[in-house]
């Protein structure tokens, strides 16, 4: 079904499919937390980027029968609360 269970292909901003899993996500999320902690970027910049990317991801997955759009939920998403 390719619904993101385990390891799945995730398109980047240029629509190139990259193989990602939960471990990769955990590592990347720690990078973002460090960038905020050490003032490489601000929390506001990260949140704005996440909101922008939810629109891209929704567009990429619009034909997926099991996909749930992220953009309407972006302001309430637990991911933002954890920043």
């Amino acid at each position: 079904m390719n619904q993101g269970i385990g390891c799945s292909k995730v398109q980047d901003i240029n629509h190139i499919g990259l193989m990602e899993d939960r471990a990769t996500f955990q590592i990347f999320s720690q990078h973002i937390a460090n960038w905020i902690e050490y003032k490489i970027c601000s929390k506001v910049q990260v949140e704005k980027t996440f909101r922008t990317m939810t629109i891209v991801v929704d567009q990429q997955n619009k034909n997926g029968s099991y996909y749930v759009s992220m953009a309407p939920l972006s302001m309430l998403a637990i991911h933002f609360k954890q920043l």
Side-chain angles (χ1 to χ4, degrees):
M1 289 183 147
N2 289 329
Q3 295 299 317
I5 299 171
C7 190
S8 61
K9 184 168 55 172
V10 178
Q11 294 186 40
D12 69 5
I13 190 111
N14 297 311
H15 305 287
I16 297 170
L18 306 172
M19 212 50 155
E20 300 291 342
D21 61 13
R22 289 181 182 183
T24 305
F25 171 77
Q26 289 292 343
I27 293 166
F28 184 66
S29 67
Q30 188 58 55
H31 282 298
I32 294 171
N34 288 343
W35 294 341
I36 293 170
E37 175 72 22
Y38 294 102
K39 311 224 183 308
I40 293 168
C41 60
S42 71
K43 183 177 175 181
V44 170
Q45 288 172 311
V46 171
E47 289 175 346
K48 181 179 177 186
T49 301
F50 283 173
R51 283 192 297 273
T52 300
M53 286 308 299
T54 60
I55 295 167
V56 173
V57 171
D58 283 350
Q59 187 65 27
Q60 290 171 339
N61 292 286
K62 67 182 177 186
N63 295 323
S65 57
Y66 295 101
Y67 182 73
V68 176
S69 176
M70 293 191 309
L73 304 175
S74 66
M75 295 305 291
L76 303 174
I78 195 165
H79 302 88
F80 295 129
K81 306 280 188 237
Q82 293 177 352
L83 290 175

